[in-house]
Amino acid sequence: MCRALLYLGSSTLLDDLLFKPDNSLVKQVYMPKMLSMLNLAGFGMKAWDSNSVSPTVPFSYSTDWLPIFDENLKSLAEKVRVNCLLAHVRGVPSTTEAAVSLKNSHPFCFPNCKISLAHNGDLVRFRDMKALLMPYIEQRILGHMAGTTDSEWIYALLLSQLEDPTGYINADELKDAVEATFSIIREVRAKCGIDTCSSANLFVSDGRQVAAVRYCFDFGRYPLDNPESVHDYHLTYLSLWYTLGREYGYYDGEWQTMGGSDAADTVIIASEPLTRDISTWLEVPEYSMLLASNWDGKPRVSVTYLDI
């Protein structure tokens, strides 16, 4: 299973999110605290800086190399400040079927589209679903697909549910698109006779807002005829956490956000808390979408349950 991170708030160094914290995203590559599987199949990010040239266009970086050994990424992280970030470390099963390549690196962002998406999860028997999913993807979007992952197909399905996939969308439009996408996947799973647990945590951003979805199809169901194929993610709901605060940084010997939600200027959403002290972190409820936007320097956060 993958690990992912969303950040929206005051300008901060990438290094303070990706490398330095006690449980930073890069450290989760080799020792995630809430998952037994490693994440050794690459790294990717989209990062926005309001003071950069063309601030609506993100910095983009991806590699199929391990970020813990990526000197270029570390060097950039020590110099680049961002107001918004979507970052992802990819994990794949230990099989010969998994393809590790740049084309499969998250986040996905097709040309001219504002929305970027990363996925944490696995659609079981995805190969059986492809032919039935294809009619739901618009031809202009289908032409941009280049990888082999279920994650890219989820992204393409989501874009196809939007009236204008190249424009900015609001919270209601995003929620409707997510619900429509998951309804299509559920229908196709039924047609294929698939009822095995399949996680679909989503991380979305357009640089102005961030959203995270915590969802699972048929949670708790796993193949009884093959006990060796049962993994942790069949038995536990994939983790997703968020925190609100002010002046996120290193204080009194540990990483933390100060001030609490009332004075917050920053929201962090992650597969698992970045800091050693998790008392200021909250779990995103199961079967829900958390959306955060930043108005007048203060994040507005809402949680809505998905109607599917």
Side-chain angles (χ1 to χ4, degrees):
M1 290 294 105
C2 311
R3 304 277 85 179
L5 164 68
L6 285 162
Y7 174 86
L8 181 68
S10 57
S11 180
T12 192
L13 271 178
L14 281 173
D15 205 27
D16 293 347
L17 295 166
L18 299 180
F19 287 93
K20 286 185 175 181
D22 309 298
N23 189 38
S24 71
L25 187 64
V26 170
K27 290 177 183 175
Q28 292 174 38
V29 169
Y30 58 92
M31 57 176 187
K33 298 184 182 303
M34 298 183 177
L35 192 71
S36 62
M37 302 173 69
L38 303 180
N39 305 283
L40 307 177
F43 168 86
M45 71 175 181
K46 301 292 183 183
W48 292 262
D49 173 16
S50 59
N51 294 317
S52 67
V53 176
S54 301
T56 60
V57 179
F59 300 111
S60 296
Y61 189 91
S62 63
T63 178
D64 54 7
W65 186 236
L66 297 181
I68 52 176
F69 301 126
D70 191 338
E71 294 181 2
N72 289 329
L73 176 61
K74 176 61 174 173
S75 178
L76 286 172
E78 292 174 348
K79 297 292 291 184
V80 175
R81 301 186 70 89
V82 298
N83 298 102
C84 184
L85 173 69
L86 169 52
H88 180 272
V89 290
R90 184 172 177 238
V92 298
S94 300
T95 68
T96 57
E97 296 181 0
V100 178
S101 74
L102 286 177
K103 292 180 180 179
N104 289 334
S105 294
H106 307 215
F108 298 98
C109 187
F110 290 164
N112 301 318
C113 292
K114 299 292 192 297
I115 288 181
S116 299
L117 177 143
H119 170 219
N120 177 22
D122 177 40
L123 296 183
V124 173
R125 290 176 50 193
F126 172 64
R127 287 184 176 181
D128 298 341
M129 299 169 59
K130 282 185 175 181
L132 295 177
L133 289 173
M134 190 171 294
Y136 294 99
I137 300 177
E138 291 190 7
Q139 190 63 39
R140 56 177 173 165
I141 294 172
L142 193 63
H144 293 306
M145 298 175 67
T148 61
T149 66
D150 54 354
S151 307
E152 187 178 27
W153 281 67
I154 292 174
Y155 177 58
L157 280 168
L158 180 67
L159 291 181
S160 297
Q161 310 316 305
L162 298 172
E163 182 175 347
D164 179 11
T166 64
Y168 288 106
I169 63 171
N170 60 38
D172 291 337
E173 290 172 317
L174 179 58
K175 179 176 180 289
D176 289 346
V178 169
E179 290 178 339
T181 297
F182 284 173
S183 293
I184 292 168
I185 293 173
R186 185 174 293 282
E187 178 183 334
V188 169
R189 282 168 58 88
K191 289 180 179 179
C192 294
I194 303 171
D195 61 0
T196 302
C197 175
S198 298
S199 299
N201 285 6
L202 305 182
F203 300 78
V204 181
S205 183
D206 60 10
R208 306 189 310 175
Q209 59 186 348
V210 295
V213 175
R214 193 179 184 205
Y215 194 84
C216 184
F217 297 95
D218 299 306
F219 173 66
R221 299 183 64 91
Y222 49 86
L224 296 175
D225 57 342
N226 185 12
E228 293 182 357
S229 68
V230 178
H231 298 285
D232 285 355
Y233 56 82
H234 289 126
L235 306 175
T236 58
Y237 214 103
L238 284 184
S239 56
L240 186 58
W241 295 73
Y242 73 102
T243 184
L244 290 164
R246 190 172 188 85
E247 298 177 355
Y248 164 75
Y250 189 71
Y251 305 101
D252 299 324
E254 62 179 310
W255 288 88
Q256 55 187 300
T257 49
M258 307 293 286
S261 59
D262 291 339
D265 63 1
T266 292
V267 58
I268 305 174
I269 311 167
S271 296
E272 51 190 80
L274 304 186
T275 58
R276 184 169 64 245
D277 178 7
I278 67 170
S279 62
T280 60
W281 291 77
L282 299 172
E283 276 195 282
V284 177
E286 299 163 0
Y287 304 106
S288 74
M289 182 180 82
L290 183 151
L291 183 99
S293 56
N294 207 334
W295 298 99
D296 300 324
K298 183 177 177 62
R300 303 289 193 269
V301 176
S302 63
V303 176
T304 58
Y305 285 91
L306 300 176
D307 187 22
I308 45 177

